[in-house]
Amino acid sequence: MKNIKKFGINTICAHVGEVKDEQFKGAVSPIYMSTSYAFEGVDIKRYPRYFNTPNQEMLCKKIAALEKTDSAMIFGSGMAAVSTALLAFLQKGDHIILQQTLYGGTYNFVVEEFEKFGIEYSFTKSLSIKDFEKEIKKNTKVIYIETPSNPLLTITDMKAVSKLAKAKGIVTMIDNTFATPINQTPIDFGIDIIIHSATKYMGGHSDILAGAVAASEEHILRIWNIGKNLGGSLSDFTVWMLERSLKTLNLRVRQQNKNALKMAKYLAVNPNVYHVYYPGLKGHTDYKLAKKQMKNFGGMLSFELKEGIDAMEFQNHLKLIKPSMSLAGVESTMLSPTQTSHSLLSSEERAKQGIKDGLIRFSVGIEETKDLIADIEQAIKKCNK
Ligand SMILES: *Cc1c(COP(=O)(O)O)cnc(C)c1O
């Protein structure tokens, strides 16, 4: 397809990156499960671990089109994407700056593994650009951000970070999982490497584990070179599932955006709720910045119930909204970060990040908001008895 760059978002979702069914003219991509391909008379040596089976190769085009980059790669998990991208740009003696609030798995990867590779790291004290600048050293090679962050939905200024990094020849990486390319395209703000846990919104149905990286051809080649050695590629059946899921990415995420804003507004005036964290609320500390760099505010929010209502008891009383470790499915889910995503951090480390024990993270699905509100109302009523 030649006009990819001109296509609107739903056309990209529905069409870009299909594998043509030349033999039977079926409407959807056939799945190539082969792990063995001819090597004579072909210009690409295909092998699943080289990230280049027909389904892998074509899906990368869809992801690159969504993120408006020249190239992309897909992985067996979000953490395979994160770890492979980081190790591609860091070696012994290098230094990386990471923002203070990060996805728990990424944080664990850095603090548990980097020392043995001889890679130095610093976490910023806050998300202000001054605090990024303060951490820069002579050997800083990468700045890594995540915006909106998990679970408090704080916003990092992408343009300021990329400007700071470019001036010093530092590569920038972003975890764009929460925003999705529907709500935020970091390449427009100068960020070099865009990472996704495709397990979340890209997959969107809580049934596949996958990761993705989008970047320039040069950067993707560098990630590919180490990626084939680390071996984190995705099975072709899952590739096919992900292609199918992405066809409705825009439709799903738009509904989730709408629902999350409605739910945030409802919770913000609920007398049983102490505080709501959603970048689309005018009262959110980063509202202005979010408005500047996001097209919409996403399907994730967090809230604290007022004192006296136990967060776990509240979640146990929910009937429609499922308690869940993960997020971003078409069904609404909630979790307590203290018990799950941030359970490996000490309570001091959590407090430093502003994560209170009563905090609940809410992944808003595509349901009717009146039904979600009714579910929350009945659960609060039971807690208040
Ligand atoms: C889930 C998640 C990851 C890790 O992805 P996996 O697919 O679980 O490996 C990374 N970043 C964010 C923001 C996530 O939510």
Side-chain angles (χ1 to χ4, degrees), residues 293-309:
Q293 64 186 25
M294 299 181 80
K295 289 170 215 154
N296 217 312
F297 304 106
M300 298 299 302
L301 63 92
S302 289
F303 62 97
E304 285 156 19
L305 289 163
K306 74 166 190 204
E307 245 173 88
I309 306 181

Side-chain angles (χ1 to χ4, degrees), residues 20-299:
K20 287 265 178 300
D21 180 359
E22 301 287 356
Q23 196 172 2
F24 298 106
K25 316 286 184 207
V28 303
S29 301
I31 312 178
Y32 285 79
M33 291 300 287
S34 289
T35 53
S36 177
Y37 290 84
F39 62 89
E40 267 179 302
V42 294
D43 46 11
I44 302 177
K45 308 281 177 265
R46 289 191 199 273
Y47 186 60
R49 187 165 42 75
Y50 295 167
F51 303 91
N52 64 3
T53 61
N55 292 88
Q56 287 175 321
E57 185 184 310
M58 295 308 287
L59 179 59
C60 289
K61 293 186 199 299
K62 197 190 219 49
I63 288 168
L66 287 168
E67 282 292 3
K68 304 202 266 179
T69 57
D70 290 330
S71 196
M73 264 176 88
I74 45 174
F75 291 88
S77 70
M79 282 313 300
V82 169
S83 56
T84 307
L86 284 171
L87 292 176
F89 289 87
L90 293 165
Q91 52 187 337
K92 199 161 115 188
D94 287 347
H95 173 249
I96 176 174
I97 300 168
L98 304 111
Q99 83 172 41
Q100 179 203 39
T101 43
L102 279 186
Y103 173 71
T106 307
Y107 176 87
N108 292 338
F109 173 59
V110 170
V111 302
E112 288 172 13
E113 312 294 343
F114 274 20
E115 204 179 321
K116 73 166 86 114
F117 292 113
I119 299 166
E120 292 174 48
Y121 57 87
S122 317
F123 289 96
T124 63
K125 297 222 162 45
S126 79
L127 301 187
S128 84
I129 194 66
K130 283 212 179 76
D131 278 342
F132 280 91
E133 196 164 7
K134 267 188 211 153
E135 302 296 340
I136 293 181
K137 299 186 190 185
K138 266 211 181 87
N139 55 343
T140 304
K141 294 287 157 63
V142 175
I143 298 180
Y144 187 100
I145 62 172
E146 192 180 310
T147 180
S149 74
N150 178 28
L152 294 179
L153 292 310
T154 46
I155 307 294
T156 310
D157 189 334
M158 293 189 284
K159 202 167 177 184
V161 166
S162 81
K163 206 173 136 200
L164 175 71
K166 279 212 167 67
K168 312 246 179 202
I170 297 169
V171 169
T172 46
M173 296 188 189
I174 186 171
D175 184 329
N176 204 28
T177 301
F178 271 34
T180 80
I182 304 304
N183 292 329
Q184 171 171 292
T185 40
I187 201 86
D188 293 334
F189 299 88
I191 301 292
D192 297 311
I193 292 165
I194 300 136
I195 303 171
H196 283 275
S197 168
T199 312
K200 313 298 165 53
Y201 287 101
M202 284 192 168
H205 295 72
S206 311
D207 55 7
I208 59 172
L209 183 75
V213 177
S216 69
E217 267 174 29
E218 187 194 338
H219 284 147
I220 289 293
L221 181 62
R222 190 153 162 182
I223 297 167
W224 183 84
N225 275 323
I226 181 168
K228 70 183 193 310
N229 296 335
L230 292 174
S233 57
L234 190 55
S235 111
D236 279 287
F237 181 68
T238 312
V239 174
W240 184 87
M241 293 275 283
L242 182 54
E243 189 211 333
R244 193 182 78 154
S245 300
L246 284 171
K247 291 182 186 186
T248 55
L249 180 69
N250 186 53
L251 298 178
R252 285 185 279 111
V253 170
R254 274 178 57 177
Q255 176 77 7
Q256 284 165 313
N257 288 336
K258 234 169 69 184
N259 281 1
L261 182 61
K262 272 197 198 163
M263 293 310 292
K265 284 182 173 166
Y266 153 75
L267 290 167
V269 297
N270 189 316
N272 295 292
V273 174
Y274 172 67
H275 195 79
V276 181
Y277 302 88
Y278 186 65
L281 287 184
K282 289 204 177 79
H284 189 277
T285 33
D286 299 326
Y287 173 73
K288 271 198 189 134
L289 179 57
K291 198 141 174 80
K292 217 166 72 183
Q293 64 186 25
M294 299 181 80
K295 289 170 215 154
N296 217 312
F297 304 106

